[in-house]
Amino acid sequence: MTTHPDETTTTTTVEYAPEQPARLDWAKHAPEVYKAMVRLDTAVRKGLDHTLYELVKIRASQINHCAFCIDMHTKDALASGESVERIVQLSAWDESRHFYTAKEIAALELTEAVTVLTEGFVPQEVYEQAAKHFDEAELAQVIAAITVINAWNRFGVTCRMAPGHYQPVQYK
């Protein structure tokens, strides 16, 4: 603790762990791939509810432990009006279903099934539940959004992109 001579209060200095540097600036070294990913991501957003889009992005990023993408999509969701409470509960959405609509729950179930693939396939009941809440075009967009964030997560985790520096809607 340090005490400032002009103050009667004591402050505590917290020393955080050092930030790990990125392993590789993959976008710099594969610019055409990066540009193609950005175009793909832009196409995915069209026709999807923005809130649903960000929830899917955050949840897949949580599963994949992509800190950079969690940081980015959480900040974007908050900047667009999403509640802190719903974002905080997202990591345990299955026990916190009352925070989400039936459509969002179907999208989150599908996100987990597509992201994890522990059974080697997306279970029929998960797909059918999603199909009840989305028309075919919208369902195709949701599947695309899940697929694209999983690709971004692989870049982020493999290259160890550092979270904390992203500004809301920086890449929009």
Side-chain angles (χ1 to χ4, degrees), residues 7-148:
E7 298 178 13
T8 57
T9 60
T10 303
T11 58
T12 303
T13 303
V14 177
E15 188 173 326
Y16 293 103
E19 181 177 304
Q20 293 183 358
R23 289 179 176 155
L24 174 71
D25 184 352
W26 76 270
K28 175 183 170 188
H29 298 288
E32 293 305 313
V33 175
Y34 177 77
K35 290 175 194 172
M37 286 293 297
V38 169
R39 286 190 305 271
L40 185 58
D41 205 296
T42 300
V44 164
R45 282 192 198 112
K46 293 179 181 172
L48 272 186
D49 173 73
H50 183 73
T51 298
L52 183 98
Y53 169 82
E54 292 298 346
L55 291 175
V56 163
K57 297 281 189 166
I58 295 166
R59 184 62 192 131
S61 300
Q62 289 172 336
I63 294 166
N64 290 322
H65 305 283
C66 185
F68 180 86
C69 293
I70 293 168
D71 180 57
M72 173 191 289
H73 294 290
T74 298
K75 287 175 179 174
D76 284 347
L78 289 168
S80 66
E82 182 57 82
S83 74
V84 170
E85 189 169 45
R86 281 173 33 104
I87 291 172
V88 168
Q89 291 300 317
L90 195 53
S91 65
W93 69 268
D94 201 26
E95 292 83 30
S96 306
R97 289 174 173 252
H98 59 285
F99 287 96
Y100 307 99
T101 67
K103 190 172 188 175
E104 290 168 341
I105 290 169
L108 293 171
E109 288 173 339
L110 187 61
T111 299
E112 292 202 2
V114 172
T115 300
V116 178
L117 291 176
T118 56
E119 301 295 321
F121 57 88
V122 173
Q124 185 66 24
E125 60 275 5
V126 171
Y127 183 86
E128 287 173 0
Q129 188 63 23
K132 286 180 187 177
H133 293 281
F134 299 96
D135 64 34
E136 288 183 341
E138 194 176 23
L139 182 56
Q141 290 297 106
V142 171
I143 293 167
I146 296 165
T147 302
V148 171

